[in-house]
Amino acid sequence: MDSNTLFEVAALKYLPVALIIEIVIIFIYAVAKRRYPKDKTYWQKLGIFTFGVNLVIFFITFGYLVLRPKEVREKVKALGQEYTKKQYTIQVIVFSVLAFVISYLYFYNVVISFFYVILVISFIPYLAYLRCKRLYSEFIFEQIQVYVTNTIMEFQTTQSFVKALEGVYESGVLEDPIKTDVKVMIDLAYHNGDVGESIDYMNSKYDFYMTRNMHQLFLQVTKEGAKDTAETFDNMLNDIDALVEGVYRDRMDRANFHRQFLLFGIALYGIIILIQLLISVETYIGMLEILAMKIAVHALVFVNTYFLLKGEKYYNEN
């Protein structure tokens, strides 16, 4: 996808949603300003502010789209896992409302809350990127399992690694990019007269325990001519079944932990409410006039947010 197309995607998918939020923000800001009409340059400042918001959100969105691999985007879309415009809109609205409410309870300042809303919106493409990356990794793992299992079963019938690869390739059970890589393996095997380079190619692209284990066994069978391998392959299939079962169980456990982590992370923002209950809201607002206190509160927000983003990144990448 070239840069022009990426600009179009950024504009069509994210910018309109961001603009809707900005219109709402401007409306609220305008209502608040009517109650306190002191600044004669208000509309000039508001125009500059809105233009800056548009520019920042667009280029951050464009940057995240560039970072997200084309192959990942297309496969997630093909799997029907890409967010719709409605889902993106709901996500932006929910994030914006949470950001506004939380930041207002921290600073009791509408303008500061607006800036926090903008920052939160700008991170939505990054969260989408992490989600796509996780879904793609899960898809690749499932395809590798299909590749290994079917190759072993084909080998037990053909007693030839290359013929087994051809059988798996022609069966239609694989999807790209695994299917294309299997075809490359077949071509390399015929071109070189052995399977060594084919195995090295696949191992370098997909560094999974089950693929390396199977390839190592096939390499031994091909080079050393080992016989009576049926029991060994059956044991390997049982090991793969156990591994896959463990992976799926771990995935469910991680999903449950992820939900609990998000609830805990959001609850951390409630620390400031507890402080206000202890010292009273009026005292807290008075303390915000002190520069050191204001910096400390901003730091608390950033630390909590960093904790959430770090956890989200870990969940989607590991």
Side-chain angles (χ1 to χ4, degrees), residues 124-139:
I124 288 177
Y126 177 66
L127 296 176
Y129 156 73
L130 290 177
R131 175 180 173 272
C132 287
K133 195 173 180 180
R134 173 176 56 82
L135 292 172
Y136 185 73
S137 297
E138 291 174 357
F139 165 76

Side-chain angles (χ1 to χ4, degrees), residues 156-206:
Q156 289 175 325
T157 302
T158 62
Q159 295 299 306
S160 166
F161 181 50
V162 179
K163 293 294 182 184
L165 291 177
E166 289 178 330
V168 174
Y169 178 78
E170 293 169 359
S171 66
V173 296
L174 296 177
E175 297 182 37
D176 283 332
I178 308 295
K179 185 175 182 179
T180 300
D181 291 326
V182 169
K183 183 65 169 66
V184 173
M185 290 180 72
I186 295 168
D187 293 340
L188 286 173
Y190 279 119
H191 181 265
N192 298 319
D194 63 66
V195 298
E197 189 175 342
S198 299
I199 287 174
D200 290 340
Y201 169 80
M202 201 65 168
N203 285 343
S204 65
K205 291 207 70 174
Y206 306 101

Side-chain angles (χ1 to χ4, degrees), residues 31-44:
V31 171
K33 192 63 183 177
R34 285 186 63 184
R35 294 183 61 184
Y36 307 101
K38 295 180 180 179
D39 192 351
K40 295 181 180 179
T41 61
Y42 163 67
W43 290 110
Q44 293 177 357

Side-chain angles (χ1 to χ4, degrees), residues 38-290:
K38 295 180 180 179
D39 192 351
K40 295 181 180 179
T41 61
Y42 163 67
W43 290 110
Q44 293 177 357
K45 291 180 178 179
L46 188 58
I48 295 170
F49 171 75
T50 306
F51 176 76
V53 169
N54 287 333
L55 209 59
V56 169
I57 292 176
F58 181 78
F59 280 104
I60 291 177
T61 299
F62 174 72
Y64 288 140
L65 286 171
V66 171
L67 290 173
R68 191 168 63 168
K70 176 184 177 183
E71 190 176 41
V72 174
R73 293 197 309 272
E74 290 180 348
K75 182 51 67 177
V76 170
K77 189 173 182 178
L79 292 171
Q81 296 290 339
E82 179 78 358
Y83 277 161
T84 63
K85 292 180 180 179
K86 181 179 178 181
Q87 288 172 314
Y88 274 120
T89 303
I90 293 172
Q91 191 178 33
V92 169
I93 291 171
V94 170
F95 276 48
S96 299
V97 170
L98 282 173
F100 186 86
V101 170
I102 291 171
S103 60
Y104 188 78
L105 289 173
Y106 270 69
F107 300 100
Y108 291 94
N109 186 308
V110 175
V111 176
I112 293 176
S113 294
F114 290 159
F115 280 103
Y116 272 104
V117 168
I118 294 165
L119 285 173
V120 167
I121 292 174
S122 70
F123 274 102
I124 288 177
Y126 177 66
L127 296 176
Y129 156 73
L130 290 177
R131 175 180 173 272
C132 287
K133 195 173 180 180
R134 173 176 56 82
L135 292 172
Y136 185 73
S137 297
E138 291 174 357
F139 165 76
I140 291 296
F141 177 80
E142 291 168 0
Q143 282 289 290
I144 286 294
Q145 177 214 343
V146 171
Y147 159 70
V148 171
T149 303
N150 282 270
T151 301
I152 291 173
M153 291 191 294
E154 286 285 343
F155 182 83
Q156 289 175 325
T157 302
T158 62
Q159 295 299 306
S160 166
F161 181 50
V162 179
K163 293 294 182 184
L165 291 177
E166 289 178 330
V168 174
Y169 178 78
E170 293 169 359
S171 66
V173 296
L174 296 177
E175 297 182 37
D176 283 332
I178 308 295
K179 185 175 182 179
T180 300
D181 291 326
V182 169
K183 183 65 169 66
V184 173
M185 290 180 72
I186 295 168
D187 293 340
L188 286 173
Y190 279 119
H191 181 265
N192 298 319
D194 63 66
V195 298
E197 189 175 342
S198 299
I199 287 174
D200 290 340
Y201 169 80
M202 201 65 168
N203 285 343
S204 65
K205 291 207 70 174
Y206 306 101
D207 189 15
F208 292 92
Y209 166 78
M210 57 179 143
T211 52
R212 288 188 174 276
N213 199 16
M214 181 191 73
H215 290 155
Q216 183 60 35
L217 186 56
F218 277 133
L219 204 56
Q220 281 183 300
V221 170
T222 303
K223 291 189 174 182
E224 299 175 12
K227 296 180 180 180
D228 300 324
T229 57
E231 184 178 353
T232 304
F233 282 120
D234 285 338
N235 290 335
M236 185 179 290
L237 285 173
N238 291 333
D239 290 342
I240 291 170
D241 289 339
L243 173 65
V244 171
E245 184 180 347
V247 168
Y248 281 111
R249 191 183 302 113
D250 178 68
R251 188 182 296 176
M252 288 188 290
D253 292 341
R254 283 165 59 84
N256 290 330
F257 175 79
H258 179 240
R259 284 191 290 271
Q260 295 172 4
F261 168 79
L262 289 178
L263 289 173
F264 175 72
I266 294 172
L268 282 177
Y269 289 109
I271 292 175
I272 208 70
I273 299 174
L274 180 61
I275 293 173
Q276 293 179 43
L277 289 174
L278 292 173
I279 65 174
S280 82
V281 176
E282 292 76 13
T283 304
Y284 174 77
I285 294 175
M287 292 174 65
L288 285 177
E289 298 298 323
I290 304 171

